[in-house]
Amino acid sequence: MGVSTLPRGRRVNSSGERSKKLLLEKATELFSKNGYHKTKISDIVKSANLTQPTFYLYFENKESLYNDLISQFKNNFLETINRIQSEADEGNIVENIHRNLTILFRFFESNPHLTKIGYYQTEEADKLKERFSDLIEEVLKDRAEFADYDIRIVAHSLVGAIERLTLTLLFTKEREPEQLASEIINLYFARNFVK
Amino acid sequence: MGVSTLPRGRRVNSSGERSKKLLLEKATELFSKNGYHKTKISDIVKSANLTQPTFYLYFENKESLYNDLISQFKNNFLETINRIQSEADEGNIVENIHRNLTILFRFFESNPHLTKIGYYQTEEADKLKERFSDLIEEVLKDRAEFADYDIRIVAHSLVGAIERLTLTLLFTKEREPEQLASEIINLYFARNFVK
Amino acid sequence: MGVSTLPRGRRVNSSGERSKKLLLEKATELFSKNGYHKTKISDIVKSANLTQPTFYLYFENKESLYNDLISQFKNNFLETINRIQSEADEGNIVENIHRNLTILFRFFESNPHLTKIGYYQTEEADKLKERFSDLIEEVLKDRAEFADYDIRIVAHSLVGAIERLTLTLLFTKEREPEQLASEIINLYFARNFVK
Amino acid sequence: MGVSTLPRGRRVNSSGERSKKLLLEKATELFSKNGYHKTKISDIVKSANLTQPTFYLYFENKESLYNDLISQFKNNFLETINRIQSEADEGNIVENIHRNLTILFRFFESNPHLTKIGYYQTEEADKLKERFSDLIEEVLKDRAEFADYDIRIVAHSLVGAIERLTLTLLFTKEREPEQLASEIINLYFARNFVK
DNA sequence: GATGAATGAGGATTCATTCAT
DNA sequence: GATGAATGAATCCTCATTCAT
């Protein structure tokens, strides 16, 4: 072609990058707030002060953007919960669980919008919770303290409690990650493990 | 081979009551499975072997039908959980809770589709859970056994646990209402209340 | 059990003729008030306390019923205005015109609904007015009194005045047919004819 | 021979202003010719060589476009007739009326389609004519020349005459605005005022 | 890098009309 | 003579997506 008027090598901070990031933010916000179907491309670009074709400059389409957000959450989530298991055998287990629950709540808290999308509004979310539950089962299954319990039920209960507390007390800033972790320990593990 | 279209008027052996009920069932099923937006009127009527205008013979429109389903669930749910509270003071509290949890799980079990719609996929659902949580708080707040606990957290945890167990163990028929109720009592109340 | 459904079929004390007449009346009323498109078959039968299939028992379809109403008006109207012409030469012309205008207004007044349909809301109406205008021209064209006038304009003015007066003063019962006829004579013919 | 469908995006040499204006013109034309109900959005866009979504790019919906046209006519019409009244006292009244009638006919003539919509096919039209009639009454009521007349009848007659003449002689180009104004003066005012 | 202008492909809803009883 | 129950055939409108500039 003739004269390329564009400067070579785009800077990371070019306005293109900025636009993409902005769209991503707004999309995340809107998806999290209104869900996939009620969020229109026109809403996203409007709130980013851009136009619809610009959206397609940076994202393949609506669905793939949404899927990307889900994937991103999923990866981070799995990474986070896997630490619980891998560290399960080291040191005091209750302390470990406490520490890792705190980390999990902090993770949720660090990106509430993404969490809402990935953990509360997709079908994928159920699979993640299932995985989380399996992992907890794994950790508890050989513990004498839980011999009298139906471990699957304990695991699912924990997952459910965490899910609900995140939404109602963490996202609303009524409780801190540490507090939630402590109370969960207190409620589910204290009398069983301690002493 | 042309698709032979149906003749216009009334079908042989057709009945309005039956058609309405059928549409309602199919709609509930599809909404519960695919959500509001992915469920088309055309899907509903197709699965009921009827045509679109027939849908409008019995329901005002898609949204109002969905809202009706939500309302129906809401009313039944509130009625069910209100019993927990109203009976809270009578007799042995743990027994009461056990009985009413059983009833609640049975209610969920009795219409899983409606429950999925009303308790898992609408915004209304969060309000219902909030209400449920408030009610639990009310029941626990004066109990010495929970003096050391953050009651809001206990309440939300319980709601979360119930929600999750319903989905993963009740709807899959892996556990019975009574079992779930017992285990919840065991996990949350046993050591606290019994002696 | 509980719901005693209404018996189908022929209603006690109902005659086909009566139903037909009732439907015709209601249709005329509704068409005249709301026009062809805003009048639904369902409206007509509802206001006659009948059902849609009954409508088709007596009328071919919506359009043909409407056309029948138009025809009916048209025939009566043409018959009425033709008298004006045929009597034009007999006796005192002003008196003749006065008498026939009165008859015309009485005709309009006798069935305002039908008049509204046939004279105010169809395309046919314009043809009727054109015809009326031509007829008036015919009557006036050899009159020395109108030698100075553009007869077509006089004719169309008269038709327009009659149309408007019918709607605003006759149908509202603010003036009587005779009054309107007299005033029109006064306004258009008096000084011209009466010496 | 397949119908080759248009490609998706922007057309070569397309302009929003032009498209909107074109749609407006075609809509006005079709509404005026066929009325609101018989004019489909699909007709409008077809005659503008565009597609249905494009219509909604420029207009909110069918009804609001139609209402806009009515409003536009209404405003212009009221402005025009208000001049008649406001100038009624200045100079020779017959001359004034003649001048303003001419202006009115010119206004009708300048946009026959819009006039047909706003003055001949809506319910609003009757209100406008009523208003026009009231205004004429106002102008005539203190005139000694009309002492013997029923002024309401004169006013309504005039309105009716103007309405009819516009349709039959102005729109068909059989008469000019000035001619019509002159003849109306001649017919209604000449002998009364002059002399 | 971004926008103005357009469209394809549905999806909900309405209404006149028609069978079966 | 009349109704209950249904459908065919539109029609409006929306939304993600794409071309030309």
Side-chain angles (χ1 to χ4, degrees):
Chain A
M1 225 50 279
V3 189
S4 123
T5 53
L6 286 173
R8 285 182 252 159
R10 240 174 249 136
R11 264 89 45 88
V12 176
N13 226 352
S14 68
S15 92
E17 275 310 307
R18 214 159 45 237
S19 291
K20 177 171 185 175
K21 200 176 153 220
L22 189 60
L23 284 170
L24 206 51
E25 274 171 28
K26 297 300 187 181
T28 308
E29 231 173 278
L30 290 168
F31 278 141
S32 104
K33 195 169 162 191
N34 305 320
Y36 181 77
H37 287 99
K38 282 194 280 198
T39 301
K40 298 182 252 168
I41 302 283
S42 62
D43 297 332
I44 297 171
V45 299
K46 204 178 298 161
S47 84
N49 251 308
L50 290 165
T51 60
Q52 305 207 27
T54 304
F55 178 92
Y56 291 90
L57 223 52
Y58 299 111
F59 308 103
E60 192 171 337
N61 56 38
K62 182 182 174 183
E63 195 181 353
S64 90
L65 164 56
Y66 193 68
N67 287 336
D68 284 355
L69 293 177
I70 292 173
S71 287
Q72 193 191 324
F73 175 81
K74 179 180 172 178
N75 293 336
N76 295 158
F77 175 73
L78 290 180
E79 194 188 328
T80 304
I81 63 170
N82 281 331
R83 294 173 55 171
I84 296 178
Q85 183 170 35
S86 63
E87 298 177 12
D89 306 316
E90 309 163 23
N92 179 324
I93 184 170
V94 171
E95 252 174 43
N96 272 337
I97 293 177
H98 182 276
R99 183 173 59 255
N100 283 306
L101 274 180
T102 305
I103 289 172
L104 179 61
F105 281 123
R106 285 213 186 106
F107 162 65
F108 285 154
E109 193 187 32
S110 74
N111 197 338
H113 291 315
L114 199 56
T115 300
K116 272 206 138 186
I117 293 171
Y119 208 58
Y120 292 88
Q121 56 181 227
T122 70
E123 279 149 38
E124 279 294 287
D126 274 326
K127 290 192 210 145
L128 294 182
K129 289 169 196 165
E130 201 72 49
R131 191 111 143 231
F132 189 14
S133 182
D134 288 349
L135 185 152
I136 292 174
E137 258 190 80
E138 203 62 33
V139 171
L140 302 184
K141 77 163 186 283
D142 299 324
R143 293 272 154 191
E145 301 88 340
F146 280 97
D148 294 344
Y149 291 89
D150 181 330
I151 292 208
R152 293 206 66 195
I153 288 183
V154 177
H156 284 301
S157 292
L158 259 165
V159 171
I162 291 167
E163 171 186 350
R164 198 88 212 122
L165 292 170
T166 297
L167 208 58
T168 58
L169 299 178
L170 183 68
F171 284 168
T172 58
K173 300 192 187 303
E174 294 180 52
R175 296 291 186 284
E176 294 295 313
E178 290 77 7
Q179 284 179 281
L180 293 173
S182 296
E183 290 287 337
I184 285 179
I185 293 291
N186 200 24
L187 192 54
Y188 284 86
F189 298 94
R191 253 160 322 233
N192 299 311
F193 285 68
V194 180
K195 175 119 22 60
Chain B
M1 201 100 316
V3 179
S4 80
T5 60
L6 290 160
R8 248 203 205 171
R10 182 177 194 163
R11 303 260 204 90
V12 183
N13 209 306
S14 67
S15 136
E17 274 307 310
R18 210 184 311 139
S19 291
K20 178 170 187 179
K21 202 176 151 218
L22 190 61
L23 283 170
L24 205 53
E25 274 170 27
K26 296 301 185 181
T28 308
E29 230 172 280
L30 289 169
F31 278 141
S32 108
K33 195 169 162 191
N34 304 321
Y36 181 77
H37 287 98
K38 283 196 280 198
T39 302
K40 320 280 190 274
I41 303 278
S42 62
D43 298 333
I44 297 172
V45 297
K46 205 177 299 162
S47 82
N49 235 300
L50 292 165
T51 60
Q52 303 215 27
T54 304
F55 178 92
Y56 293 92
L57 222 50
Y58 301 110
F59 308 104
E60 190 163 344
N61 56 37
K62 181 180 169 181
E63 194 180 355
S64 93
L65 165 56
Y66 194 68
N67 287 336
D68 282 355
L69 293 177
I70 292 173
S71 286
Q72 194 192 322
F73 175 82
K74 180 181 173 178
N75 292 337
N76 294 159
F77 175 73
L78 290 180
E79 194 188 327
T80 304
I81 63 169
N82 282 331
R83 296 172 52 170
I84 296 178
Q85 185 171 34
S86 63
E87 299 178 10
D89 307 315
E90 310 166 20
N92 180 323
I93 184 171
V94 171
E95 252 172 45
N96 274 335
I97 293 176
H98 182 276
R99 185 174 56 255
N100 283 305
L101 274 180
T102 304
I103 289 171
L104 179 60
F105 281 122
R106 284 211 187 108
F107 163 65
F108 285 154
E109 195 187 30
S110 73
N111 197 338
H113 292 314
L114 197 57
T115 300
K116 274 206 135 186
I117 292 171
Y119 209 57
Y120 293 89
Q121 55 180 228
T122 71
E123 279 151 38
E124 277 295 286
D126 274 325
K127 288 192 212 147
L128 294 182
K129 290 170 195 165
E130 201 71 49
R131 190 109 143 235
F132 189 14
S133 182
D134 288 347
L135 185 152
I136 292 174
E137 260 191 78
E138 203 61 33
V139 171
L140 301 185
K141 75 163 187 284
D142 299 323
R143 292 272 155 192
E145 300 89 339
F146 282 97
D148 295 344
Y149 291 87
D150 181 330
I151 291 208
R152 293 206 66 197
I153 289 183
V154 176
H156 284 301
S157 292
L158 259 166
V159 172
I162 291 167
E163 171 186 351
R164 197 88 211 121
L165 291 169
T166 298
L167 208 57
T168 57
L169 299 178
L170 183 68
F171 285 168
T172 58
K173 301 191 186 304
E174 294 180 50
R175 295 291 185 285
E176 295 294 314
E178 290 77 6
Q179 284 180 280
L180 293 174
S182 295
E183 290 287 336
I184 284 178
I185 293 291
N186 201 23
L187 192 54
Y188 283 87
F189 298 94
R191 255 160 322 233
N192 299 312
F193 283 68
V194 180
K195 190 72 36 37
Chain C
M1 228 102 306
V3 188
S4 87
T5 56
L6 286 165
R8 272 203 212 141
R10 180 172 187 158
R11 299 257 207 84
V12 187
N13 203 354
S14 73
S15 100
E17 273 313 304
R18 211 162 39 244
S19 290
K20 178 171 186 176
K21 199 175 155 222
L22 189 60
L23 283 170
L24 206 53
E25 273 172 28
K26 296 302 186 181
T28 308
E29 230 172 278
L30 289 169
F31 279 140
S32 106
K33 194 169 163 191
N34 305 320
Y36 181 77
H37 288 98
K38 282 195 280 197
T39 301
K40 299 182 252 167
I41 302 283
S42 61
D43 296 332
I44 297 171
V45 297
K46 204 179 298 161
S47 83
N49 251 306
L50 290 165
T51 61
Q52 305 208 27
T54 303
F55 178 92
Y56 291 91
L57 222 51
Y58 300 110
F59 309 103
E60 192 171 338
N61 55 37
K62 182 181 173 182
E63 196 181 352
S64 90
L65 163 57
Y66 194 68
N67 287 336
D68 283 355
L69 294 177
I70 292 173
S71 286
Q72 192 190 325
F73 175 81
K74 180 180 172 179
N75 293 336
N76 294 158
F77 174 74
L78 290 180
E79 193 188 329
T80 305
I81 64 171
N82 281 331
R83 296 171 54 170
I84 296 178
Q85 185 171 35
S86 62
E87 299 178 9
D89 307 316
E90 309 166 20
N92 180 325
I93 184 170
V94 170
E95 251 173 44
N96 273 334
I97 292 177
H98 182 275
R99 185 174 58 256
N100 282 306
L101 274 179
T102 305
I103 289 172
L104 179 59
F105 282 122
R106 285 211 188 108
F107 162 65
F108 286 154
E109 195 187 30
S110 74
N111 198 338
H113 293 313
L114 199 56
T115 300
K116 273 206 136 186
I117 293 171
Y119 208 58
Y120 292 89
Q121 56 181 228
T122 72
E123 280 150 39
E124 278 295 286
D126 274 325
K127 289 192 210 147
L128 294 183
K129 290 169 195 165
E130 201 72 49
R131 192 110 143 233
F132 189 12
S133 182
D134 288 349
L135 184 152
I136 292 173
E137 258 190 81
E138 203 60 33
V139 171
L140 302 184
K141 75 163 187 283
D142 299 322
R143 292 274 155 192
E145 300 89 340
F146 282 98
D148 295 344
Y149 291 88
D150 181 331
I151 293 209
R152 293 206 67 197
I153 289 183
V154 176
H156 284 300
S157 293
L158 259 166
V159 171
I162 291 167
E163 171 186 350
R164 196 90 211 120
L165 291 170
T166 298
L167 208 57
T168 58
L169 299 178
L170 182 68
F171 284 168
T172 59
K173 301 191 186 303
E174 293 179 52
R175 295 292 185 284
E176 294 295 314
E178 290 77 8
Q179 283 180 281
L180 293 174
S182 296
E183 290 288 337
I184 285 178
I185 295 290
N186 199 24
L187 192 54
Y188 284 87
F189 299 94
R191 255 162 319 235
N192 299 312
F193 284 68
V194 182
K195 190 64 36 33
Chain D
M1 198 106 310
V3 179
S4 80
T5 61
L6 289 160
R8 248 201 204 174
R10 182 176 192 163
R11 302 261 204 89
V12 183
N13 210 306
S14 68
S15 137
E17 274 308 309
R18 210 183 311 139
S19 292
K20 179 171 184 175
K21 202 175 150 220
L22 190 60
L23 283 169
L24 205 53
E25 275 170 26
K26 296 300 187 182
T28 309
E29 229 173 281
L30 290 168
F31 278 140
S32 105
K33 196 170 159 192
N34 305 321
Y36 181 77
H37 287 98
K38 281 195 281 198
T39 301
K40 320 280 190 275
I41 304 278
S42 62
D43 297 333
I44 297 172
V45 298
K46 206 177 298 161
S47 83
N49 235 299
L50 291 164
T51 60
Q52 302 214 26
T54 304
F55 178 92
Y56 293 93
L57 223 50
Y58 301 110
F59 309 103
E60 190 164 342
N61 55 38
K62 181 180 168 182
E63 194 181 353
S64 92
L65 165 56
Y66 193 68
N67 287 336
D68 283 356
L69 293 177
I70 292 173
S71 285
Q72 193 191 325
F73 176 81
K74 179 181 172 178
N75 293 336
N76 294 158
F77 174 73
L78 289 180
E79 195 188 328
T80 304
I81 62 169
N82 282 332
R83 296 173 51 171
I84 296 177
Q85 183 170 34
S86 63
E87 299 177 11
D89 307 316
E90 309 165 23
N92 180 324
I93 185 170
V94 171
E95 252 172 42
N96 273 335
I97 292 177
H98 181 274
R99 184 174 57 256
N100 283 304
L101 274 180
T102 304
I103 289 172
L104 180 60
F105 281 122
R106 285 212 186 107
F107 162 65
F108 286 154
E109 192 187 32
S110 73
N111 197 338
H113 292 314
L114 198 57
T115 299
K116 274 205 137 186
I117 293 170
Y119 208 58
Y120 293 89
Q121 56 181 226
T122 71
E123 279 150 40
E124 277 295 286
D126 274 326
K127 288 190 210 147
L128 293 182
K129 289 169 195 166
E130 202 71 49
R131 191 111 143 231
F132 189 13
S133 183
D134 288 348
L135 185 152
I136 292 172
E137 259 191 79
E138 203 62 32
V139 170
L140 301 185
K141 76 162 185 283
D142 300 322
R143 292 274 154 192
E145 301 89 341
F146 281 97
D148 294 345
Y149 290 87
D150 182 331
I151 291 209
R152 293 205 66 196
I153 288 183
V154 176
H156 285 299
S157 292
L158 258 166
V159 171
I162 291 167
E163 171 187 349
R164 198 86 211 122
L165 292 170
T166 298
L167 208 58
T168 57
L169 298 179
L170 183 68
F171 284 168
T172 58
K173 300 193 187 301
E174 293 180 50
R175 295 291 185 285
E176 294 294 312
E178 291 77 7
Q179 285 179 278
L180 292 173
S182 296
E183 290 287 338
I184 284 178
I185 293 290
N186 200 25
L187 192 55
Y188 284 86
F189 299 94
R191 255 161 322 232
N192 300 311
F193 285 70
V194 180
K195 170 124 29 62

